[in-house]
Amino acid sequence: MQDLTPLRVVAIVPAAGKGLRMNHHLPKQYLPLGGKPIVARTLLGLQSFKVIDEIFLAVRGEEKEYCEREIVKRYGLTKVCQVIEGGEKRQDSVYNALEKIDGGAGLVVVHDGVRPFLTENVLMEAVTQANIHKAAIVAVPITDTIKVAKQHGFIEKTVPREDLWAVQTPQVFEYELILDAHRKARKDNFLATDDASLLERMGHPVKVVEGSTENIKITTPEDLIMAEAILREFGE
Ligand code: C5P
């Protein structure tokens, strides 16, 4: 195991989505899961991991005060050093946080605010691999058969499953590298749904670390039912 203590490891938690797929008046990140808002659970988890030094939380501008009071203060999230305003897209929210990290960082851990079931083992593997390869992401092998169908609704091809991974967060990067990738993507108007894509387009290798299927992203009402079951099974 490498000694990571001299590295400054900063987590960025994008939680500035509107959560429209949840069909609820509250954005999904604030819905209660076992009595605590989902985003509070995600942040409490990150805070409990020794390797994380500080957390930058990105939320919607109009939710900033609410979040500082009802999430950060209320749940004693002392590692959250800044609550910043997110952007229109997830990529903008991460970018805004990256630009706010004063004095830089060794590694940046980007982790969705709506993934409360990250374990320390998985995080540590991703951090260790990122320290070696400069970029590492957590993913799980695909279990479904994946086909490509065009707009007319007929199958074009079946994609071999062995090489396919469903990508999750955390995604861990050397700070300067991911900042540069985000700046270039903005300049080129390149938009992606995860951060690793921004390095892939620059030809930079990204290491895949196998995670766990419990590390779900809570997006739909069905995900919330699943999350409650996971919580019952694995506890706090
Ligand atoms: O939209 P998606 O499901 O990919 O969202 C993943 C995470 O990114 C969520 O925690 C969501 O709140 C966050 N997000 C954000 N800013 C946006 C859109 C999504 O921080 N503009």
Side-chain angles (χ1 to χ4, degrees), residues 14-17 21 28-29 87-90 93 112-114 217 219:
R21 283 165 289 182
K28 62 189 173 191
Q29 54 272 31
E88 175 64 23
K89 301 280 182 200
R90 180 189 184 280
S93 298
D112 290 331
V114 288
K217 180 167 81 168
T219 303

Side-chain angles (χ1 to χ4, degrees), residues 177-188:
L177 184 70
I178 194 66
L179 179 62
D180 185 46
H182 265 268
R183 283 179 176 164
K184 287 199 169 106
R186 265 179 104 73
K187 203 168 133 265
D188 301 343

